[in-house]
Amino acid sequence: KQEVTQIPAALSVPEGENLVLNCSFTDSAIYNLQWFRQDPGKGLTSLLLIQSSQREQTSGRLNASLDKSSGRSTLYIAASQPGDSATYLCAVYGGSQGNLIFGKGTKLSVKP
Amino acid sequence: DAGVIQSPRHEVTEMGQEVTLRCKPISGHDYLFWYRQTMMRGLELLIYFNNNVPIDDSGMPEDRFSAKMPNASFSTLKIQPSEPRDSAVYFCASGRGEETQYFGPGTRLLVL
């Protein structure tokens, strides 16, 4: 059974700092991995999707990497801003289960 | 497009009462997903439909939960009878495939 783990569960950083969020998964036979953002009281918004054949994806200040063989992904946020404060969830698709499996998320707080 | 629409946004009910959550997917999406999110268990898939047909309901916790999709523009998730442990945020998502999903804002359910 696929399991997705995110570390740390919560992170607080000062504005302007670069940071890394981690995601690991137990079954490497995935088709892709996604990073989502969830704001309080709202749904999830997809940030980046990395296909299993890719190593990384970039969108603005966000860069996500994927090492399928080791079952790991990282989300790098450059020059963090207070508006980046949210919960970030990692989800994998494929493997033994044909649907999205989510981690519990990392709650990020960026202090002005 | 208005995105995925869920109603109600908040529901408070007493144990034993019937609860019905509603979802209108994005037009043209032929996949619809129901998730439950709690602090303890994170985001869990309950059931999903393809072209209005239930494909996988293995995540539905027990017989008290049921879901229907009578047409392409409407789905319901029903809990009868409700219990305090059902308190959670319930999300509906839709997409053109299993891997790309657009989430609604969620229904926050509290069962007293």
Side-chain angles (χ1 to χ4, degrees):
Chain A
K1 179 182 175 184
Q2 178 75 274
E3 293 184 4
V4 179
T5 303
Q6 291 187 245
I7 295 173
L11 181 64
S12 182
V13 301
E15 182 177 4
E17 192 164 296
N18 302 325
L19 59 100
V20 174
L21 307 181
N22 297 293
C23 172
S24 61
F25 46 96
T26 55
D27 184 349
S28 62
I30 63 170
Y31 295 136
N32 60 52
L33 181 145
Q34 291 186 69
W35 283 93
F36 290 84
R37 169 180 173 142
Q38 183 176 21
D39 291 287
K42 297 190 177 180
L44 281 69
T45 301
S46 181
L47 297 172
L48 290 165
L49 184 152
I50 312 175
Q51 299 293 349
S52 61
S53 58
Q54 298 175 317
R55 298 281 296 183
E56 64 179 332
Q57 280 286 343
T58 298
S59 176
R61 295 181 293 107
L62 306 180
N63 176 275
S65 68
L66 173 64
D67 184 342
K68 205 175 85 161
S69 61
S70 68
R72 295 183 181 185
S73 175
T74 61
L75 178 66
Y76 175 82
I77 302 177
S80 59
Q81 302 171 358
D84 295 329
S85 298
T87 297
Y88 292 82
L89 292 96
C90 163
V92 298
Y93 175 71
S96 58
Q97 291 155 270
N99 50 58
L100 284 178
I101 305 297
F102 285 84
K104 291 186 178 180
T106 294
K107 185 175 182 179
L108 173 65
S109 177
V110 181
K111 304 295 186 183
Chain B
D1 198 316
V4 176
I5 298 172
Q6 291 188 247
S7 64
R9 293 294 311 278
H10 302 273
E11 177 82 24
V12 181
T13 190
E14 293 186 346
M15 183 174 62
Q17 296 297 306
E18 178 179 294
V19 174
T20 300
L21 311 181
R22 298 173 177 79
C23 175
K24 177 179 170 55
I26 294 172
S27 177
H29 286 183
D30 50 11
Y31 282 83
L32 184 139
F33 308 82
W34 282 102
Y35 290 90
R36 178 173 66 176
Q37 186 177 41
T38 62
M39 289 291 291
M40 286 293 293
R41 300 174 66 90
L43 197 64
E44 302 174 287
L45 178 68
L46 300 176
I47 184 172
Y48 76 96
F49 297 82
N50 178 216
N51 292 321
N52 312 336
V53 176
I55 302 301
D56 183 356
D57 65 354
S58 60
M60 296 285 263
E62 46 198 276
D63 291 345
R64 297 185 298 106
F65 285 69
S66 62
K68 294 182 180 179
M69 192 165 185
N71 56 62
S73 59
F74 183 66
S75 176
T76 60
L77 177 68
K78 186 174 293 186
I79 308 172
Q80 167 63 20
S82 58
E83 297 182 2
R85 60 191 168 124
D86 302 329
S87 298
V89 182
Y90 291 81
F91 287 102
C92 175
S94 72
R96 292 194 174 91
E98 293 172 333
E99 60 193 88
T100 305
Q101 300 178 24
Y102 296 81
F103 281 75
T107 294
R108 189 173 296 272
L109 174 65
L110 178 61
V111 183
L112 301 174

